[in-house]
Amino acid sequence: MSATRTEMTHASARGFDMKPAEEALAILSRAQVEAAEAVQDAVPSIRAAADRAANSLRAGGRLIYAAAGSSGLMALADALELPGTYGIAGDRIKVLLAGGMEMLREMRGGPEDDGDAARAELAAVQVGPGDCVIALTASGYTPYPMAAVEAARAAGASTIGISNNRGAPLFDRVDVAICLPTPPEVIAGSTRMGAGTAQKIALNMLSTMMAVQLGHVHDGYMVNLVADNLKLQGRAKGIVMAVTSVSDEVAAAALEQAEGGVKLAVLIAAGADVGRARELLDEFGGRLRPALAVLGR
């Protein structure tokens, strides 16, 4: 496989603009499925990356994403949802986007070539040995994320690289390489499509497994969510009810005592007072299952 596969021509591209809309859309849909399938072989690498990310956050470090263009949008989408979904403090998650957040209003290509900016931004956030840096680049050689991981490694941080080309130069510069060998894009080089889809799936998997290791998932429930609207408040109550088999009223009372903390509320609903619930969570690193076992649940 060529190191520039993301720039190659897709087998169905010839005459694409002349095809009936339904046929063209079917081609695009199949290409997205093929891109998603490319993630499967990366499962061992994604597991290793999740280990590093969880270890950094568990030890008080940060998760720092560094990317450009469409890859930067995938990184931003993943990062922004972690605090609300899994209760990870916002100051523990950072996104370094080539060109800065101004790029969200106008996507320009030039900033992705500015490796000096990446090094300066890593220095500005004081990246260090406790942090984990995830760099994304579909091609695998974009200067901004490449410089970011070089600076991160020099500072002693853990590094993860995600690219869609086998043999990408990025992989020689990171601790964990996640290769997502997506087919050529139907619109050659438009990596917001297949490559972006695969990157988003890989990030979803990585951050979800990281959250599992941190104890923020129990039986498929997000037990560390931040319930800051009516929908999520209802979800929080439903989680307490599902995990402990208590009534709506008991779950609501437990959440009130826990000031909205789902894990605390689960343990309160299971019979612990607030103080004991906090002790159990501290003892077991925020994991509900062993804490519930102590309570005989």
Side-chain angles (χ1 to χ4, degrees):
M1 183 177 292
S2 168
T4 57
R5 180 153 179 153
T6 50
E7 298 294 331
M8 294 173 66
T9 302
H10 191 278
S12 298
R14 184 176 295 277
F16 179 77
D17 55 302
M18 300 291 290
K19 297 181 185 298
E22 290 81 359
E23 183 180 349
L25 289 168
I27 290 170
L28 291 174
S29 177
R30 286 195 298 272
Q32 293 285 289
V33 172
E34 292 168 357
E37 290 172 345
V39 180
Q40 190 60 40
D41 288 343
V43 164
S45 297
I46 295 171
R47 179 201 57 78
D51 289 346
R52 285 183 176 266
N55 288 341
S56 289
L57 289 177
R58 190 182 291 116
R62 297 167 298 175
L63 190 61
I64 302 172
Y65 301 75
S70 297
S71 295
L73 297 180
M74 298 303 104
L76 191 63
D78 193 63
L80 289 178
E81 292 192 309
L82 294 182
T85 304
Y86 296 121
I88 299 171
D91 62 359
R92 307 284 297 284
I93 309 291
K94 293 197 176 296
V95 181
L96 303 182
L97 186 63
M101 293 304 165
E102 289 295 314
M103 290 292 287
L104 298 180
R105 294 191 297 178
E106 181 185 2
M107 294 287 287
R108 293 177 288 109
E112 74 175 40
D113 295 332
D114 194 346
D116 288 340
R119 284 184 279 270
E121 288 162 21
L122 264 293
V125 300
Q126 298 180 319
V127 64
D131 298 324
C132 180
V133 175
I134 303 176
L136 295 92
T137 159
S139 67
Y141 54 79
T142 304
Y144 183 92
M146 293 279 281
V149 292
E150 289 169 356
R153 291 198 74 176
S158 289
T159 54
I160 297 163
I162 300 177
S163 173
N164 298 82
N165 283 316
R166 296 191 194 278
L170 174 70
F171 295 153
D172 296 328
R173 293 165 170 79
V174 295
D175 297 310
V176 178
I178 299 176
C179 183
L180 309 172
T182 46
E185 304 287 358
V186 176
I187 310 301
S190 182
T191 53
R192 73 186 184 90
M193 300 175 72
T197 293
Q199 288 179 0
K200 185 63 172 73
I201 292 171
L203 287 171
N204 286 345
M205 293 165 63
L206 193 166
S207 56
T208 299
M209 186 51 56
M210 175 189 77
V212 170
Q213 294 188 27
L214 292 172
H216 300 334
V217 176
H218 181 92
D219 281 345
Y221 295 112
M222 51 179 82
V223 291
N224 210 43
L225 66 83
V226 175
D228 58 0
N229 63 27
L230 291 174
K231 178 187 73 176
L232 295 179
Q233 289 165 9
R235 181 179 298 167
K237 185 167 64 173
I239 291 170
V240 176
M241 294 170 65
V243 174
T244 61
S245 299
V246 298
S247 68
D248 182 292
E249 293 77 12
V250 171
L255 279 164
E256 185 174 355
Q257 291 183 62
E259 298 180 336
V262 176
K263 289 182 185 179
L264 279 176
V266 165
L267 295 178
I268 292 168
D273 60 29
V274 175
R276 179 59 173 150
R278 292 188 189 281
E279 290 174 0
L280 288 169
L281 287 177
D282 288 343
E283 180 179 352
F284 294 109
R287 291 176 295 126
L288 270 180
R289 197 170 300 280
L292 285 168
V294 170
L295 298 175
R297 302 295 288 267

